[in-house]
Amino acid sequence: MPFLYTRRIRFHETDAAGVVYFANLLTLCHEAYEAALAEAGFDLTLFFSKEGGVAVLVTHTEADFYQPLRCGEAIALQLVPTQVSPHSFEIHYEIYHCPQQELQQKPAVRAMTRHVCIDVQTRRRQTLTPELTDWITGVAGRA
């Protein structure tokens, strides 16, 4: 099964219409990404710092909204990473209202983030670290 992250929508994440503000969707996705990395044993302080010698940048995002996500609603974010080149990967997200009915329902949102690994010093693309490749393979293998 893909990585699953659950939480509730908070008031500050919504707009005047009472639904998740579109830009906050990326925050929800990134939260799930961080949780998946942490579950896999990544030291997040090191991963998101320059000290590791590499940086993993988000270079592209997209999202399709099918149903509103409202304040107080419980949601489940399902994510699956896929390597697309030696130095980049994508994470595909599906966000469901909870309780899920075995995730057979249509997702409320589908999103994608594309990430590129670079050397911090040269700012040039670098192959993904073995740890990232293992994480991608491990989570994708659960899908």
Side-chain angles (χ1 to χ4, degrees):
M1 171 167 209
F3 181 78
L4 197 62
Y5 177 71
T6 58
R7 73 188 295 284
R8 289 195 178 274
I9 300 298
R10 297 180 182 104
F11 176 70
H12 72 272
E13 296 165 329
T14 62
D15 60 17
V19 298
V20 167
Y21 180 64
F22 75 96
N24 288 335
L25 175 74
L26 295 176
T27 301
L28 298 174
C29 291
H30 207 279
E31 250 183 61
Y33 170 44
E34 289 178 39
L37 290 172
E39 181 184 85
F42 281 79
D43 177 340
L44 296 183
T45 302
L46 181 61
F47 185 81
F48 291 111
S49 74
K50 294 180 181 180
E51 294 174 26
V54 298
V56 180
L57 310 176
V58 176
T59 59
H60 177 80
T61 64
E62 58 186 61
D64 292 307
F65 295 80
Y66 303 107
Q67 300 168 12
L69 300 173
R70 294 185 174 86
C71 179
E73 287 183 324
I75 59 168
L77 295 95
Q78 176 178 282
L79 71 82
V80 177
T82 306
Q83 188 167 343
V84 294
S85 78
H87 49 74
S88 65
F89 64 97
E90 293 177 348
I91 302 176
H92 296 264
Y93 304 86
E94 291 187 344
I95 303 175
Y96 296 88
H97 294 279
C98 288
Q100 319 124 19
Q101 296 147 358
E102 300 172 27
L103 297 185
Q104 297 298 323
Q105 64 192 15
K106 183 176 180 178
V109 179
R110 282 196 175 107
M112 184 273 290
T113 54
R114 186 171 303 126
H115 306 251
V116 174
C117 188
I118 66 166
D119 180 280
V120 172
Q121 296 297 322
T122 65
R123 307 297 288 176
R124 296 192 189 279
R125 290 178 184 217
Q126 172 179 313
T127 56
L128 298 173
T129 65
E131 295 83 10
L132 264 176
T133 303
D134 290 347
W135 174 73
I136 292 165
T137 304
V139 175
R142 295 173 13 182

